[in-house]
Amino acid sequence: MLEDLFDGFASLLTAPAILLLVLGALWGIVGGALPGISTAAALVLALPLTFGMEPALGLILLAAVYTGGAYGGSISATLLNTPGTPEAAIMTYDGYALTQKGQAGKALWTTSMAALLAGVVGTFVLIFAAAPLADVAVSFGPPEYVALAILGLASLAMLGGGSVLRATISVVLGVMIALVGLDPLTGAARITFGNPLLLGGLDLIQVLIGLFAVSEALLLISSKSASAHVHNATLWAKSSLPRWRETRRQSKFALLGTGVGTVVGVLPGGGATIASIISYNAAKQLSSFRENFGKGQLEGLSAPEGADKASVGGALIPALAIGIPGSASSAVLLGGLTLNNIQPGPQLMTNESALVNTVFAALLVANFVVFIVGLGVITGFVRVTNVSKPILGLLVLVLSLVGAYATATDISGMWVAIAFGVIGYLMKIWDIPTAPVILTIVLTPLLEINLRRSLLMSGGDFGIFTDRFATVFILVLAVVISAASLVLNRRTQGKGSGATPEPEAVHHP
Amino acid sequence: MSVPAKSVLVCSATLFVVALVYLYAALQIPVEEANPGIGPAAFPLGAALALMALATMLAVVGLRPRQRADTQLAGPSIEEEDIAEGDEQSTDWKRSPVTVIALTVTAVLIMPHVGFFVSTSILMLVVFALLGVPRWPARIVIMATFFLFTYGLFINLLSVNLPTGPWGF
């Protein structure tokens, strides 16, 4: 197996392969960073480019785009409070807080290094543990997915540093938005008010653009201060460069996220979103500075970034091993394989060993390429935040309109973005967090469809959720984590935080 | 920084009204008698009722003097950072969200008739004029850069057909 892997590495040592790795990484990062494009869309757009290429080169390009896209979402989440991908929404809590404190460079170094570590570890897991993990993925049924969704939703209400009540309101709002459209099991129209445009539901990306980008643009434009959020914050400032002690500390949390991301990412439909929520919550429980979560604590970035990046490898495990994609992005990658007459499934590793190992090698090397290319892209992105706030707000606003239009290919996308922009602005004024809304929109279909399927399987008997060990285990975990978070939140509020300490000042590794 | 009591009331009332409207829509969903599990209306009904309860709790908790002190002790949330001291929202109507939204809505309304580039140019020029910044050369540079980026990425690379006016762009 190692010999085949080395052969895969050797196939990367050509000028076309290196060029495709760099360009793919760049395109993936940009696509992942810009709301309205997303990783899956970036992959879809790259797919036609592979038609005229040798299969190996085409797969190298797709692997680089996939890896870059998984990282890009955290850039805009950190700098502009606008996640480029739904799974990056959780990083707005601490990433944007750090940007507002003039520490955007430090935040982005943290996410870059966490992404590199998690990507490399996650890819090794993919290479050596695909088969047994795929068996676990297959064993998960609707009751387990219900438990997983409950774990995710329960965690959401406890995240960040604000009010649990307001966070719960945000979760419920997310549920309400997710339910608009046709019922997936019966086809009944729900909450459409007779409007045929709502039968397809509300587009997640348009809602994301509105809640985050448009609302943030409104805040920026109406800001009194003409100066930028970021003061002397460049990626290469001495204050931004990581110190060894901090790097070592954050790497532990990145590995925590990696473990979560790999396991949860294996589950088809589970994916990076749930992994990022669970890893954030886990980091908050384990951190010595949990009271600073939501105010700019680096663990709040390294853990979910690790989970997000590791889920790239995790999502590919069922895709390559049994032909079931773990995410939309891995589905596109599978499409790339199929276009080259490569059939995913149990025989893939034996029948197409050379090509599969080329993909493995490309994914591994792409992590390093994304790290290097990403630093270059970030340097430019950070400069953007140094412009005047109102002008930045105007640019974000018009770019949001374009992004929203691109997802719908008509004006209706812009209207949805504007409407949710107003909603997002009101939520921010009323201190209701917006990140849980997006994450809940992703989790609600998972919960509802599998809950109803489970009850159909059991004839309406809720005992199906107590008969299976994995389901009970995850549900108990959800209860324990929620209770622990509630206790910790109350203790944090009891201590008081009249002077919020800077993240630099609080940790004592 | 805590949310003022008046805002808490307005927020609670708004959420309650939203929940009521949602509940009304949820009650229109057909009920499946033969389904042994839960039907399509279960989640919407549950969500509406949950929001009504939470809105009520928010009003009760938010208005209690003891709870407001606790909220202050919890410190600002991430969203409050946006309107924390030193970063306050302007009261000037030219910069108010209402003005910006009104201008944006107008731009989107006229977009199908005059095209994306013309309507967005008008929007940007009006907002620049209201803001009073930057100076004219910078305005032209910013707009030109933005439109070049939009054309290159969305129209050329992604083949997104943005609305065009009678003049072809």
Side-chain angles (χ1 to χ4, degrees):
Chain A
M1 184 181 188
L2 281 177
E3 274 185 26
D4 294 333
L5 191 58
F6 288 142
D7 290 338
F9 280 116
S11 67
L12 299 179
L13 296 175
T14 63
I18 293 170
L19 184 65
L20 287 171
L21 274 171
V22 172
L23 291 176
L26 182 62
W27 171 235
I29 292 170
V30 171
L34 290 175
I37 299 184
S38 83
T39 308
L43 277 166
V44 165
L45 292 164
L47 205 53
L49 299 175
T50 67
F51 290 165
M53 295 181 190
E54 292 173 23
L57 288 178
L59 292 171
I60 288 169
L61 174 66
L62 293 178
V65 174
Y66 191 8
T67 307
Y71 167 65
S74 62
I75 299 175
S76 47
T78 299
L79 293 178
L80 298 173
N81 200 26
T82 302
T85 55
E87 47 271 18
I90 206 87
M91 293 180 225
T92 57
Y93 281 136
D94 291 276
Y96 192 57
L98 284 166
T99 294
Q100 289 178 304
K101 290 174 180 172
Q103 297 182 30
K106 183 182 287 289
L108 292 166
W109 268 110
T110 300
T111 54
S112 297
M113 291 191 296
L116 176 62
L117 179 62
V120 169
V121 171
T123 306
F124 273 118
V125 170
L126 167 67
I127 294 170
F128 294 109
L133 283 175
D135 290 339
V136 171
V138 170
S139 72
F140 260 51
E144 283 77 25
Y145 279 104
V146 170
L148 206 60
I150 290 174
L151 174 63
L153 288 172
S155 303
L156 274 177
M158 308 293 169
L159 298 179
S163 157
V164 171
L165 174 59
R166 285 185 164 88
T168 307
I169 288 173
S170 182
V171 168
V172 173
L173 287 173
V175 172
M176 293 167 72
I177 293 168
L179 296 174
V180 174
L182 290 176
D183 175 50
L185 292 182
T186 64
R190 299 192 297 185
I191 324 296
T192 60
F193 301 100
N195 187 342
L197 289 175
L198 291 177
L199 287 175
L202 291 165
D203 186 273
L204 172 65
I205 301 299
Q206 292 164 19
V207 172
L208 185 151
I209 289 173
L211 279 181
F212 284 90
V214 176
S215 65
E216 191 63 27
L218 294 174
L219 282 170
L220 286 170
I221 291 172
S222 56
S223 168
K224 252 187 187 176
S225 167
S227 63
H229 284 299
V230 180
H231 304 284
N232 300 320
T234 66
L235 196 63
W236 306 101
K238 195 176 173 187
S239 58
S240 298
L241 294 172
R243 298 191 183 99
W244 170 243
R245 189 183 279 179
E246 184 62 41
T247 302
R248 212 173 54 191
R249 208 170 85 85
Q250 294 309 321
S251 64
K252 293 178 192 169
F253 288 93
L255 285 172
L256 166 71
T258 302
V260 173
T262 304
V263 171
V264 178
V266 163
L267 305 170
T273 306
I274 295 182
S276 65
I277 299 168
I278 295 172
S279 63
Y280 184 93
N281 211 12
K284 190 178 176 187
Q285 308 292 327
L286 296 170
S287 172
S288 306
F289 311 103
R290 58 183 72 92
E291 67 274 8
N292 291 323
F293 271 68
K295 297 169 190 160
Q297 190 61 29
L298 290 174
E299 290 92 286
L301 284 176
S302 51
E305 179 67 28
D308 188 7
K309 215 41 198 315
S311 65
V312 167
L316 281 175
I317 289 173
L320 295 177
I322 52 177
I324 300 175
S327 64
S329 301
S330 60
V332 178
L333 202 64
L334 269 191
L337 286 173
T338 312
L339 280 171
N340 288 285
N341 295 319
I342 301 165
Q343 291 306 315
Q347 302 303 316
L348 181 66
M349 303 294 285
T350 45
N351 293 350
E352 300 288 348
S353 174
L355 270 174
V356 171
N357 281 285
T358 299
V359 172
F360 288 161
L363 284 169
L364 203 55
V365 173
N367 286 297
F368 294 94
V369 175
V370 165
F371 180 76
I372 295 167
V373 171
L375 291 180
V377 170
I378 289 167
T379 304
F381 265 98
V382 167
R383 289 190 189 280
V384 168
T385 66
N386 283 318
V387 304
S388 155
K389 283 183 189 174
I391 295 172
L392 181 62
L394 177 60
L395 290 173
V396 169
L397 178 65
V398 289
L399 195 59
S400 302
L401 293 178
V402 179
Y405 183 90
T407 62
T409 63
D410 67 41
I411 297 280
S412 63
M414 291 185 179
W415 290 121
V416 172
I418 292 171
F420 278 94
V422 172
I423 293 170
Y425 179 81
L426 289 173
M427 287 177 73
K428 287 179 180 179
I429 292 297
W430 290 333
D431 195 23
I432 299 174
T434 48
V437 174
I438 294 298
L439 298 165
T440 307
I441 292 174
V442 176
L443 290 179
T444 299
L446 188 75
L447 172 65
E448 189 194 17
I449 291 171
N450 286 290
L451 177 64
R452 292 166 68 186
R453 275 187 189 146
S454 301
L455 292 174
L456 280 171
M457 282 162 52
S458 67
D461 182 10
F462 279 85
I464 192 171
F465 299 109
T466 54
D467 292 342
R468 300 157 76 107
F469 172 75
T471 311
V472 173
F473 178 77
I474 297 171
L475 285 172
V476 168
L477 194 62
V479 171
V480 167
I481 287 176
S482 299
S485 298
L486 206 56
V487 168
L488 286 169
N489 272 355
R490 285 190 180 276
R491 276 194 199 161
T492 303
Q493 289 177 7
K495 277 181 194 173
S497 56
T500 305
E502 292 291 322
E504 274 272 316
V506 292
H507 61 257
H508 306 287
Chain B
M1 173 182 137
S2 64
V3 182
K6 187 180 172 187
S7 283
V8 171
L9 269 181
V10 171
C11 174
S12 301
T14 305
L15 290 173
F16 202 89
V17 167
V18 168
L20 272 178
V21 172
Y22 202 90
L23 182 65
Y24 170 76
L27 289 170
Q28 311 302 312
I29 301 169
V31 176
E32 284 205 342
E33 307 265 345
N35 193 335
I38 53 176
F43 267 64
L45 284 171
L49 292 171
L51 187 61
M52 288 168 77
L54 290 168
T56 308
M57 279 175 66
L58 183 66
V60 170
V61 170
L63 291 175
R64 278 165 55 186
R66 181 171 56 87
Q67 287 297 329
R68 272 188 287 156
D70 289 346
T71 308
Q72 287 169 352
L73 284 174
S77 69
I78 183 65
E79 280 77 28
E80 285 172 327
E81 292 278 345
D82 289 324
I83 34 180
E85 217 175 294
D87 195 12
E88 292 166 8
Q89 297 296 285
S90 169
T91 52
D92 185 359
W93 69 269
K94 293 177 186 173
R95 291 181 167 204
S96 84
V98 175
T99 304
V100 176
I101 286 293
L103 289 170
T104 308
V105 167
T106 306
V108 175
L109 279 172
I110 66 174
M111 199 176 290
H113 308 288
V114 302
F116 169 80
F117 286 105
V118 171
S119 67
T120 308
S121 298
I122 295 171
L123 172 65
M124 292 178 84
L125 286 171
V126 171
V127 174
F128 282 144
L130 291 174
L131 292 174
V133 290
R135 294 186 181 176
W136 268 103
R139 295 182 193 184
I140 302 298
V141 169
I142 290 171
M143 288 173 62
T145 307
F146 170 75
F147 287 129
L148 271 172
F149 174 79
T150 304
Y151 178 81
L153 178 63
F154 287 93
I155 296 177
N156 208 22
L157 191 63
L158 301 180
S159 302
V160 175
N161 293 321
L162 291 169
T164 56
W167 26 74
F169 61 86

